[in-house]
Amino acid sequence: MQQHTLRITAQDQPTVLERLLQVTRYRGFIVTGMTMFPSVDESVLDIELTVQSDKSIDHLHHQLNKLIDVSEISVNESDALKCRA
Amino acid sequence: MVSKKPQTGGAVLFNVLQQHGVEHVFGYPGGAIMPIYDALYDSDIKHFLCRHEQGASFSAIGYARASQKVGVCLATSGPGATNLITGLADALSDSIPVVAITGQVAMASMGSDAFQEIDIFGLSLACTKHSFQVRDVNELAGILHQAFAIALEGRQGPVLVDIPKDIQSALVDEPVDNVCIAKPTLVNPEDNFLLKNEPANVGTALALFNQAKKPVLYVGGGVGMADAVTELREFISVTGIPSVSTLKGLGAVEPTDKCYLGMLGMHGTKAANLAVQQCDLLIAVGARFDDRVTGKLAEFAPNAKIIHFDIDQAEINKRRKVDVSILGDLKVNLPALAIPLSIQEWYGECQHMRESFAWRYDHPGENIFAPALLKEISSTMAKNTVITTDVGQHQMWSAQHMSFDHPTNFLTSGGMGTMGFGLPAAIGAQISRPDDMVIAVTGDGSFMMNVQELSTIKRFQLPVKIVLIDNSKLGMVRQWQDLFFDGRLSETDLSDNPDFVMLANAFDIKSKVITKKEQVSAAINEMLTHDGAYLLQVKIDATDNVWPLVPPNTANDKMMEST
Ligand SMILES: Cc1ncc(C[n+]2csc(CCOP(=O)(O)OP(=O)(O)O)c2C)c(N)n1
Ligand SMILES: [Mg+2]
């Protein structure tokens, strides 16, 4: 199983985390870590989401990108590492 | 007009709907949406009272699909809202622009397990494109504008707006008028979904296209959604490419095109499936390689390179790796690849398949053969008749044996396959297109799933025609039990169906039952010329099957053609 880190910039809506987690689970990824950084501009949230799956990260990347509240998303390739499990 | 009177959230709702050109809404009232229904009382918008919120949601879908406008439905909190869920799922799956408005308990009660409180926002996450919960009446208008923009932009879909009861009656600081605005403003024009297509991809696609000896065009529902039927037909006429269609794509290609091979996939035509299995280039246009289309994915179009036109980047490489993708609006992008091809030999082969595997309608005995009846309706009905279907054998027979000259004339639940879709969708279609005939082709199982909507037909005197294909079975499931479960017919018998003619009559709907081939032509004629609603019950053999059928997890060229 591959582990990947996604960097996400989203509208700071009370609901955005729920949406991110719902899509992530539905598309077959397990969350192994999540950190949030409220940005200087309070309306925006920076999120680092670490996920694990045997599916291609591109699928999740594109599905999360469709969320209306997500304004930017990138896969941090250097973080990709092979899990032991 | 902006009135001097203080404006409530409810009034704002209907004014904004009017700004978006909404004339008709479908709904059902209840406690937590009463201030909205009170505002409706003063509005010019016409409300159609359905008899179940699921009916309202499907009518909104039928309305949207037949007219290419946004469909709107309303429901109260709790059970009203949950009754919309199936419709929202259906709209999400088939990318239909619907705006659903739900009442919610007052803000002060939210989160307290109040009477008829359900977290509809939470429920909506998996079955809408986006959803909102309004928390300030002064934000309502802006949220509604966004809801319309999101429903329509890029890949279309359903949007839910949940409005607490106190917000519905609260007064806004700035009243809004009800003057129709030209176009909804995009939420954020910068992240426009209409991605610019990359010139390099167009170059690669053109090269692939030029090299192809056996190309096939695989047409999906996206063509109709993008309003690109004209562009598609132009593309076919310039390139001379053989084409196949998905269930939702039916109507996009001119049915008389000499190299149009019909629907592909599980119940596709032999010609369509064989051509796709043999092709060396498959051009998918607004289609998503759905499992009902591909059969065993690893063996789908095994020799083909793939060019994929779509507006949704997430569909690219989702199920099948593509060679080139052309992202964006089909209306703009299709013409970019329209070049004349020299594929005479392949064209000839496809045309030959179209002719030699054409449908046959010989059917021994006196009993009615549903495919022949549906074909006869299709060739007798007026141009621009809208057909809706329910789900099952009758649906597949309609897709196979009826022809449509536009996707807005064939409304069927594709992605979800939702029984109960046909009747309320026909109601929505009839309301959006009062001058066109609307015929719901339904099954004896599906019809009962939203049968209460006969009341809506009665109330609004809608001239909807209903063709009920009655095999006294949940036929499609029965067929699978016979073929793949050793004939163990578990819970698919409906031989104790109600008297459908009497049922129709109870709603003042004229009705007739036919059982023999010799009755078919006269009955069709009577139904089509009847001024008003009509239910034609057509009894058929319980054992008739839909052919061809590609068994589960099988390549599409290994279809069964009979038992
Ligand atoms: C809401 C819903 N429940 C169950 C099914 C599964 N299902 C698919 S087809 C079918 C039988 C439909 O029977 P009928 O409407 O009589 O159509 P027929 O196949 O007999 O033409 C069933 C139960 C479904 N598609 N939708
Ligand atoms: Mg049936």
PDB file of all heavy atoms in Angstrom, chain B residues 10-11 14 17 25 34-48 74:
ATOM      1  N   GLY B  10     -38.537  33.458   3.047  1.00  0.00           N
ATOM      2  CA  GLY B  10     -39.389  32.723   2.107  1.00  0.00           C
ATOM      3  C   GLY B  10     -39.618  33.504   0.823  1.00  0.00           C
ATOM      4  O   GLY B  10     -39.530  32.963  -0.280  1.00  0.00           O
ATOM      5  N   ALA B  11     -39.890  34.809   0.962  1.00  0.00           N
ATOM      6  CA  ALA B  11     -40.116  35.643  -0.225  1.00  0.00           C
ATOM      7  C   ALA B  11     -38.835  35.756  -1.049  1.00  0.00           C
ATOM      8  O   ALA B  11     -38.864  35.719  -2.281  1.00  0.00           O
ATOM      9  CB  ALA B  11     -40.608  37.025   0.203  1.00  0.00           C
ATOM     10  N   PHE B  14     -38.406  32.677  -3.360  1.00  0.00           N
ATOM     11  CA  PHE B  14     -39.155  32.622  -4.616  1.00  0.00           C
ATOM     12  C   PHE B  14     -38.706  33.718  -5.587  1.00  0.00           C
ATOM     13  O   PHE B  14     -38.690  33.505  -6.800  1.00  0.00           O
ATOM     14  CB  PHE B  14     -40.660  32.659  -4.345  1.00  0.00           C
ATOM     15  CG  PHE B  14     -41.119  31.380  -3.686  1.00  0.00           C
ATOM     16  CD1 PHE B  14     -41.527  31.361  -2.361  1.00  0.00           C
ATOM     17  CD2 PHE B  14     -41.066  30.182  -4.390  1.00  0.00           C
ATOM     18  CE1 PHE B  14     -41.910  30.169  -1.749  1.00  0.00           C
ATOM     19  CE2 PHE B  14     -41.441  28.984  -3.781  1.00  0.00           C
ATOM     20  CZ  PHE B  14     -41.867  28.976  -2.462  1.00  0.00           C
ATOM     21  N   LEU B  17     -35.594  32.413  -7.175  1.00  0.00           N
ATOM     22  CA  LEU B  17     -35.953  31.375  -8.161  1.00  0.00           C
ATOM     23  C   LEU B  17     -36.412  32.036  -9.453  1.00  0.00           C
ATOM     24  O   LEU B  17     -36.026  31.635 -10.546  1.00  0.00           O
ATOM     25  CB  LEU B  17     -37.049  30.453  -7.620  1.00  0.00           C
ATOM     26  CG  LEU B  17     -36.703  29.525  -6.455  1.00  0.00           C
ATOM     27  CD1 LEU B  17     -37.891  28.615  -6.119  1.00  0.00           C
ATOM     28  CD2 LEU B  17     -35.480  28.668  -6.747  1.00  0.00           C
ATOM     29  N   VAL B  25     -42.293  24.580  -9.652  1.00  0.00           N
ATOM     30  CA  VAL B  25     -41.564  23.808  -8.644  1.00  0.00           C
ATOM     31  C   VAL B  25     -42.449  22.642  -8.189  1.00  0.00           C
ATOM     32  O   VAL B  25     -43.672  22.682  -8.342  1.00  0.00           O
ATOM     33  CB  VAL B  25     -41.152  24.674  -7.422  1.00  0.00           C
ATOM     34  CG1 VAL B  25     -40.235  25.801  -7.843  1.00  0.00           C
ATOM     35  CG2 VAL B  25     -42.379  25.237  -6.700  1.00  0.00           C
ATOM     36  N   MET B  34     -43.215  25.698   6.579  1.00  0.00           N
ATOM     37  CA  MET B  34     -44.453  26.478   6.451  1.00  0.00           C
ATOM     38  C   MET B  34     -44.240  27.940   6.072  1.00  0.00           C
ATOM     39  O   MET B  34     -44.982  28.471   5.246  1.00  0.00           O
ATOM     40  CB  MET B  34     -45.313  26.328   7.706  1.00  0.00           C
ATOM     41  CG  MET B  34     -45.973  24.945   7.704  1.00  0.00           C
ATOM     42  SD  MET B  34     -47.157  24.687   9.002  1.00  0.00           S
ATOM     43  CE  MET B  34     -48.457  25.789   8.503  1.00  0.00           C
ATOM     44  N   PRO B  35     -43.231  28.621   6.614  1.00  0.00           N
ATOM     45  CA  PRO B  35     -43.055  30.010   6.179  1.00  0.00           C
ATOM     46  C   PRO B  35     -42.752  30.121   4.675  1.00  0.00           C
ATOM     47  O   PRO B  35     -43.167  31.081   4.026  1.00  0.00           O
ATOM     48  CB  PRO B  35     -41.866  30.495   7.022  1.00  0.00           C
ATOM     49  CG  PRO B  35     -41.859  29.599   8.233  1.00  0.00           C
ATOM     50  CD  PRO B  35     -42.335  28.263   7.737  1.00  0.00           C
ATOM     51  N   ILE B  36     -42.080  29.117   4.123  1.00  0.00           N
ATOM     52  CA  ILE B  36     -41.813  29.126   2.682  1.00  0.00           C
ATOM     53  C   ILE B  36     -43.118  28.928   1.914  1.00  0.00           C
ATOM     54  O   ILE B  36     -43.400  29.624   0.942  1.00  0.00           O
ATOM     55  CB  ILE B  36     -40.761  28.053   2.316  1.00  0.00           C
ATOM     56  CG1 ILE B  36     -39.373  28.536   2.745  1.00  0.00           C
ATOM     57  CG2 ILE B  36     -40.792  27.726   0.824  1.00  0.00           C
ATOM     58  CD1 ILE B  36     -38.234  27.595   2.446  1.00  0.00           C
ATOM     59  N   TYR B  37     -43.937  27.990   2.370  1.00  0.00           N
ATOM     60  CA  TYR B  37     -45.228  27.789   1.698  1.00  0.00           C
ATOM     61  C   TYR B  37     -46.140  29.002   1.863  1.00  0.00           C
ATOM     62  O   TYR B  37     -46.963  29.287   0.999  1.00  0.00           O
ATOM     63  CB  TYR B  37     -45.895  26.478   2.153  1.00  0.00           C
ATOM     64  CG  TYR B  37     -45.415  25.322   1.299  1.00  0.00           C
ATOM     65  CD1 TYR B  37     -44.193  24.707   1.564  1.00  0.00           C
ATOM     66  CD2 TYR B  37     -46.131  24.906   0.171  1.00  0.00           C
ATOM     67  CE1 TYR B  37     -43.708  23.693   0.745  1.00  0.00           C
ATOM     68  CE2 TYR B  37     -45.647  23.895  -0.642  1.00  0.00           C
ATOM     69  CZ  TYR B  37     -44.449  23.299  -0.352  1.00  0.00           C
ATOM     70  OH  TYR B  37     -43.976  22.307  -1.170  1.00  0.00           O
ATOM     71  N   ASP B  38     -45.941  29.721   2.963  1.00  0.00           N
ATOM     72  CA  ASP B  38     -46.719  30.949   3.143  1.00  0.00           C
ATOM     73  C   ASP B  38     -46.290  31.993   2.121  1.00  0.00           C
ATOM     74  O   ASP B  38     -47.117  32.685   1.525  1.00  0.00           O
ATOM     75  CB  ASP B  38     -46.526  31.467   4.575  1.00  0.00           C
ATOM     76  CG  ASP B  38     -47.450  32.630   4.864  1.00  0.00           C
ATOM     77  OD1 ASP B  38     -48.680  32.418   4.834  1.00  0.00           O
ATOM     78  OD2 ASP B  38     -46.950  33.753   5.072  1.00  0.00           O
ATOM     79  N   ALA B  39     -44.990  32.075   1.869  1.00  0.00           N
ATOM     80  CA  ALA B  39     -44.489  33.021   0.863  1.00  0.00           C
ATOM     81  C   ALA B  39     -44.909  32.593  -0.541  1.00  0.00           C
ATOM     82  O   ALA B  39     -45.174  33.423  -1.411  1.00  0.00           O
ATOM     83  CB  ALA B  39     -42.962  33.107   0.949  1.00  0.00           C
ATOM     84  N   LEU B  40     -44.997  31.280  -0.753  1.00  0.00           N
ATOM     85  CA  LEU B  40     -45.429  30.763  -2.060  1.00  0.00           C
ATOM     86  C   LEU B  40     -46.811  31.295  -2.422  1.00  0.00           C
ATOM     87  O   LEU B  40     -47.118  31.565  -3.584  1.00  0.00           O
ATOM     88  CB  LEU B  40     -45.459  29.224  -2.001  1.00  0.00           C
ATOM     89  CG  LEU B  40     -46.055  28.488  -3.201  1.00  0.00           C
ATOM     90  CD1 LEU B  40     -45.158  28.648  -4.423  1.00  0.00           C
ATOM     91  CD2 LEU B  40     -46.235  26.997  -2.884  1.00  0.00           C
ATOM     92  N   TYR B  41     -47.614  31.440  -1.388  1.00  0.00           N
ATOM     93  CA  TYR B  41     -48.994  31.912  -1.554  1.00  0.00           C
ATOM     94  C   TYR B  41     -49.048  33.233  -2.314  1.00  0.00           C
ATOM     95  O   TYR B  41     -49.982  33.514  -3.046  1.00  0.00           O
ATOM     96  CB  TYR B  41     -49.581  32.067  -0.144  1.00  0.00           C
ATOM     97  CG  TYR B  41     -51.073  32.009  -0.068  1.00  0.00           C
ATOM     98  CD1 TYR B  41     -51.743  30.787  -0.143  1.00  0.00           C
ATOM     99  CD2 TYR B  41     -51.822  33.179   0.103  1.00  0.00           C
ATOM    100  CE1 TYR B  41     -53.126  30.746  -0.064  1.00  0.00           C
ATOM    101  CE2 TYR B  41     -53.205  33.127   0.184  1.00  0.00           C
ATOM    102  CZ  TYR B  41     -53.849  31.900   0.098  1.00  0.00           C
ATOM    103  OH  TYR B  41     -55.209  31.852   0.178  1.00  0.00           O
ATOM    104  N   ASP B  42     -47.995  34.056  -2.141  1.00  0.00           N
ATOM    105  CA  ASP B  42     -47.947  35.369  -2.810  1.00  0.00           C
ATOM    106  C   ASP B  42     -47.125  35.347  -4.088  1.00  0.00           C
ATOM    107  O   ASP B  42     -46.998  36.363  -4.761  1.00  0.00           O
ATOM    108  CB  ASP B  42     -47.290  36.409  -1.889  1.00  0.00           C
ATOM    109  CG  ASP B  42     -48.137  36.689  -0.663  1.00  0.00           C
ATOM    110  OD1 ASP B  42     -49.378  36.633  -0.787  1.00  0.00           O
ATOM    111  OD2 ASP B  42     -47.550  36.938   0.408  1.00  0.00           O
ATOM    112  N   SER B  43     -46.517  34.214  -4.406  1.00  0.00           N
ATOM    113  CA  SER B  43     -45.564  34.200  -5.521  1.00  0.00           C
ATOM    114  C   SER B  43     -46.248  33.809  -6.833  1.00  0.00           C
ATOM    115  O   SER B  43     -47.282  33.141  -6.843  1.00  0.00           O
ATOM    116  CB  SER B  43     -44.445  33.207  -5.210  1.00  0.00           C
ATOM    117  OG  SER B  43     -43.657  32.986  -6.343  1.00  0.00           O
ATOM    118  N   ASP B  44     -45.642  34.218  -7.945  1.00  0.00           N
ATOM    119  CA  ASP B  44     -46.162  33.841  -9.266  1.00  0.00           C
ATOM    120  C   ASP B  44     -45.697  32.455  -9.683  1.00  0.00           C
ATOM    121  O   ASP B  44     -46.112  31.939 -10.714  1.00  0.00           O
ATOM    122  CB  ASP B  44     -45.666  34.823 -10.340  1.00  0.00           C
ATOM    123  CG  ASP B  44     -46.164  36.223 -10.060  1.00  0.00           C
ATOM    124  OD1 ASP B  44     -47.237  36.333  -9.440  1.00  0.00           O
ATOM    125  OD2 ASP B  44     -45.471  37.182 -10.450  1.00  0.00           O
ATOM    126  N   ILE B  45     -44.791  31.905  -8.914  1.00  0.00           N
ATOM    127  CA  ILE B  45     -44.287  30.580  -9.269  1.00  0.00           C
ATOM    128  C   ILE B  45     -45.381  29.548  -9.060  1.00  0.00           C
ATOM    129  O   ILE B  45     -46.112  29.596  -8.080  1.00  0.00           O
ATOM    130  CB  ILE B  45     -43.034  30.247  -8.422  1.00  0.00           C
ATOM    131  CG1 ILE B  45     -41.876  31.104  -8.937  1.00  0.00           C
ATOM    132  CG2 ILE B  45     -42.710  28.757  -8.461  1.00  0.00           C
ATOM    133  CD1 ILE B  45     -40.545  30.781  -8.339  1.00  0.00           C
ATOM    134  N   LYS B  46     -45.481  28.616 -10.019  1.00  0.00           N
ATOM    135  CA  LYS B  46     -46.516  27.602  -9.894  1.00  0.00           C
ATOM    136  C   LYS B  46     -45.939  26.378  -9.198  1.00  0.00           C
ATOM    137  O   LYS B  46     -44.908  25.841  -9.599  1.00  0.00           O
ATOM    138  CB  LYS B  46     -47.063  27.228 -11.270  1.00  0.00           C
ATOM    139  CG  LYS B  46     -48.200  26.227 -11.195  1.00  0.00           C
ATOM    140  CD  LYS B  46     -49.164  26.370 -12.373  1.00  0.00           C
ATOM    141  CE  LYS B  46     -50.198  25.248 -12.434  1.00  0.00           C
ATOM    142  NZ  LYS B  46     -51.070  25.134 -11.266  1.00  0.00           N
ATOM    143  N   HIS B  47     -46.641  25.963  -8.168  1.00  0.00           N
ATOM    144  CA  HIS B  47     -46.203  24.812  -7.375  1.00  0.00           C
ATOM    145  C   HIS B  47     -47.051  23.601  -7.735  1.00  0.00           C
ATOM    146  O   HIS B  47     -48.271  23.692  -7.825  1.00  0.00           O
ATOM    147  CB  HIS B  47     -46.370  25.140  -5.885  1.00  0.00           C
ATOM    148  CG  HIS B  47     -46.023  24.016  -4.968  1.00  0.00           C
ATOM    149  ND1 HIS B  47     -46.933  23.052  -4.589  1.00  0.00           N
ATOM    150  CD2 HIS B  47     -44.858  23.690  -4.357  1.00  0.00           C
ATOM    151  CE1 HIS B  47     -46.336  22.192  -3.773  1.00  0.00           C
ATOM    152  NE2 HIS B  47     -45.084  22.555  -3.617  1.00  0.00           N
ATOM    153  N   PHE B  48     -46.395  22.477  -7.956  1.00  0.00           N
ATOM    154  CA  PHE B  48     -47.113  21.232  -8.215  1.00  0.00           C
ATOM    155  C   PHE B  48     -47.008  20.348  -6.981  1.00  0.00           C
ATOM    156  O   PHE B  48     -45.928  19.903  -6.613  1.00  0.00           O
ATOM    157  CB  PHE B  48     -46.536  20.535  -9.457  1.00  0.00           C
ATOM    158  CG  PHE B  48     -46.862  21.293 -10.717  1.00  0.00           C
ATOM    159  CD1 PHE B  48     -46.068  22.350 -11.138  1.00  0.00           C
ATOM    160  CD2 PHE B  48     -48.000  20.982 -11.455  1.00  0.00           C
ATOM    161  CE1 PHE B  48     -46.389  23.073 -12.269  1.00  0.00           C
ATOM    162  CE2 PHE B  48     -48.329  21.701 -12.603  1.00  0.00           C
ATOM    163  CZ  PHE B  48     -47.525  22.757 -13.015  1.00  0.00           C
ATOM    164  N   LEU B  74     -39.133  20.947  -3.368  1.00  0.00           N
ATOM    165  CA  LEU B  74     -39.199  21.437  -1.988  1.00  0.00           C
ATOM    166  C   LEU B  74     -39.725  20.342  -1.075  1.00  0.00           C
ATOM    167  O   LEU B  74     -40.627  19.600  -1.454  1.00  0.00           O
ATOM    168  CB  LEU B  74     -40.203  22.596  -1.865  1.00  0.00           C
ATOM    169  CG  LEU B  74     -40.197  23.776  -2.819  1.00  0.00           C
ATOM    170  CD1 LEU B  74     -41.380  24.697  -2.473  1.00  0.00           C
ATOM    171  CD2 LEU B  74     -38.912  24.537  -2.695  1.00  0.00           C
TER     172      LEU B  74
END
